[in-house]
Amino acid sequence: AIRMTQSPSSFSASTGDRVTITCRASQGISSYLAWYQQKPGKAPKLLIYAASTLQSGVPSRFSGSGSGTDFTLTISCLQSEDFATYYCQQYYSYHTFGQGTKLEIK
Amino acid sequence: EVQLVESGGGLVQPGRSLRLSCAASGFTFDDYAMHWVRQAPGKGLEWVSGISWNSGSIGYADSVKGRFTISRDNAKNSLYLQMNSLRAEDTALYYCAKGGTESYGDYVYFDYWGQGTLVTVSS
């Protein structure tokens, strides 16, 4: 089974910061990677699929990159509504999520 | 507007059964694969099961294989999850999720999610 490891597990940042979250796959998954945002008490929301394709309606401050085993989600200018937990998910072989990265306000 | 509404959750004793349902609207249901994803309290996301548009391809996580059965009724725009031999570790919020438009064989990302239905397994 493919394992997905996110880093960091949690961190603090301020509004306006540029932040990057990393996701590493235990084996190559080409570009079959998605990113989700989840706020407390809410369902996950798709941000990015195919490693770098922005889902319709998602602000352009979100971007994704990577292929093979190493991927990143970048938020270029943090807004207050971006403080949430972020998950990566591979869909190269079955479906596996990372453990999540909780982004908190500094 | 895509809507996915889960139902059927509740408190159940270990070893018993429960059937979850998901009512879909706002898209052509029989064009897309559908999935169940769960989240234990305070924990991360775990894919549970998925079914192709025509029920021709079905998959399960190892943790539920042999106990859970996924099905769909395209005439009713509905997805189901029959859960048997429930265990305490099955306690979670169960989400119904729609498969995205770009898949890799049977594997896909999830572009819309319901609000979930809570299953609690406890004596």
Side-chain angles (χ1 to χ4, degrees):
Chain A
I2 298 175
R3 297 181 308 277
M4 306 300 293
T5 304
Q6 292 181 229
S7 61
S9 294
S10 65
F11 72 107
S12 301
S14 301
T15 303
D17 285 352
R18 177 184 178 91
V19 301
T20 297
I21 298 170
T22 297
C23 179
R24 174 164 289 175
S26 61
Q27 65 185 75
I29 59 169
S30 186
S31 295
Y32 298 106
L33 185 102
W35 289 98
Y36 302 87
Q37 176 193 68
Q38 187 178 33
K39 296 181 179 179
K42 300 294 186 181
K45 173 187 174 183
L46 176 67
L47 299 175
I48 287 168
Y49 62 94
S52 61
T53 302
L54 201 64
Q55 171 71 349
S56 176
V58 174
S60 59
R61 63 180 179 273
F62 291 91
S63 64
S65 65
S67 67
T69 60
D70 294 315
F71 301 86
T72 59
L73 172 69
T74 299
I75 310 172
S76 61
C77 182
L78 268 177
Q79 303 297 302
S80 58
E81 61 266 31
D82 300 335
F83 292 97
T85 299
Y86 293 85
Y87 294 93
C88 62
Q89 177 233 332
Q90 66 84 16
Y91 53 102
Y92 178 80
S93 176
Y94 289 88
H95 309 86
T96 316
F97 292 90
Q99 82 278 16
T101 295
K102 187 174 184 179
L103 176 54
E104 299 174 300
I105 300 174
K106 184 180 289 185
Chain B
E1 179 193 6
V2 172
Q3 284 200 318
L4 300 169
V5 180
E6 303 94 336
S7 61
L11 174 63
V12 62
Q13 293 179 327
R16 303 298 291 266
S17 299
L18 210 56
R19 188 194 196 209
L20 306 184
S21 299
C22 171
S25 61
F27 65 102
T28 304
F29 183 72
D30 54 13
D31 276 352
Y32 295 96
M34 295 295 296
H35 296 259
W36 290 98
V37 178
R38 69 185 181 183
Q39 187 169 35
K43 303 297 184 182
L45 301 167
E46 179 189 19
W47 175 78
V48 173
S49 182
I51 185 168
S52 63
W53 65 276
N54 64 352
S55 304
S57 181
I58 286 174
Y60 299 97
D62 287 344
S63 57
V64 307
K65 199 172 294 183
R67 300 187 299 123
F68 289 12
T69 302
I70 192 172
S71 61
R72 64 189 294 163
D73 185 337
N74 288 344
K76 296 182 178 180
N77 287 354
S78 293
L79 175 72
Y80 306 100
L81 186 68
Q82 177 66 42
M83 304 187 295
N84 297 334
S85 303
L86 282 161
R87 306 167 180 168
E89 54 264 36
D90 296 318
T91 294
L93 187 62
Y94 284 73
Y95 292 105
C96 167
K98 172 184 169 292
T101 55
E102 298 182 15
S103 63
Y104 179 60
D106 291 333
Y107 313 125
V108 72
Y109 56 93
F110 313 116
D111 57 0
Y112 291 94
W113 301 60
Q115 286 306 302
T117 187
L118 181 62
V119 173
T120 303
V121 184
S122 174
S123 54

